[in-house]
């Protein structure tokens, strides 16, 4: 096997693994598959963690994960697929950040790993064992990488920033007790 063949096989394995996991996560949100809660339940969760409106947020996250993951696995429209998945994972990481880095304590380790892998695939490209290669890279042009990642970064910044403002505003509305009242 030449190094180019090994690279293509490695990219295929990364795409299949990362894309498959992302597609399954998106299917949980969109369809309730694999023990997920579907749009309704995921929408309620999204609302509870500050992403509003909840159903629209659940739909957007589900489409970015399921669509981005499926396209990554196929190696089709790789820049857009990787960027969309990375954006969804940045939104998930924002929810988990207060709990630290490691997944065992509910931290952002897992969405960060998936998001960075998806972004890395967007940058590296799909390799020769892909639909992008088979189609002559019609939807995998060099200029699409910075465009897809730039647009995704901008949208993700707006969405995560709006969530942070919502959470701050909600917290400002809460008032701590001025005096402790003794229990009878």
């Amino acid at each position: 096997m030449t190094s180019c063949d090994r690279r293509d096989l490695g990219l295929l394995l990364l795409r299949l693994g990362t894309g498959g996991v992302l597609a399954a996560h998106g299917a949980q949100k969109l369809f309730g598959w694999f023990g997920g809660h579907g749009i309704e339940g995921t929408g309620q969760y999204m609302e509870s963690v500050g992403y509003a409106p909840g159903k629209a947020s659940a739909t957007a996250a589900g489409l970015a994960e399921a669509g981005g993951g499926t396209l990554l696995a196929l190696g089709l429209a790789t820049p857009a697929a990787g960027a969309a998945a990375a954006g969804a994972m940045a939104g998930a990481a924002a929810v988990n950040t207060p709990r630290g880095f490691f997944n065992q304590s509910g931290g952002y380790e897992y969405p960060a790993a998936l998001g960075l892998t998806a972004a890395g695939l967007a940058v590296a490209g799909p390799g020769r064992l892909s639909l992008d290669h088979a189609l002559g890279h019609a939807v995998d042009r060099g200029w699409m990488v910075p465009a897809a990642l730039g647009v995704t970064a901008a949208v993700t910044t707006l969405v995560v920033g709006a969530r942070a403002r919502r959470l701050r505003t909600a917290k400002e509305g809460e008032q701590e007790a001025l005096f402790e009242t003794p229990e009878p």
Side-chain angles (χ1 to χ4, degrees), residues 10-173:
L11 288 169
L12 173 65
L13 292 172
L14 278 171
R15 287 194 348 262
L16 289 174
T18 304
V21 168
L22 286 162
H25 277 287
Q28 286 180 310
K29 289 174 180 64
L30 294 173
F31 311 117
W33 296 352
F34 313 115
H37 300 287
I39 293 292
E40 198 64 43
T42 303
Q44 290 171 7
Y45 172 75
M46 295 291 247
E47 195 84 38
S48 78
V49 296
Y51 287 115
K55 283 174 87 170
S57 297
T59 302
L63 288 172
E65 291 174 8
T70 300
L71 290 172
L72 274 178
L74 295 171
L76 181 62
T78 304
M89 291 299 99
V95 171
N96 297 334
T97 297
R99 294 186 290 274
F101 177 72
F102 291 105
N103 193 47
Q104 69 194 28
S105 60
Y108 64 94
E109 170 187 20
Y110 188 60
L114 285 174
L116 287 169
T117 303
L121 287 166
V123 172
R128 291 186 298 176
L129 303 173
S130 66
L131 287 178
D132 276 337
H133 181 75
L135 297 172
H137 296 278
V139 288
D140 176 33
R141 303 277 185 215
W143 65 266
M144 293 175 181
V145 174
L149 290 172
V151 167
T152 298
V155 170
T156 301
T157 299
L158 291 173
V159 170
V160 171
R163 173 188 177 263
R165 282 189 299 284
R166 256 187 237 94
L167 293 176
R168 258 193 324 276
T169 301
K171 193 169 198 111
E172 288 170 0

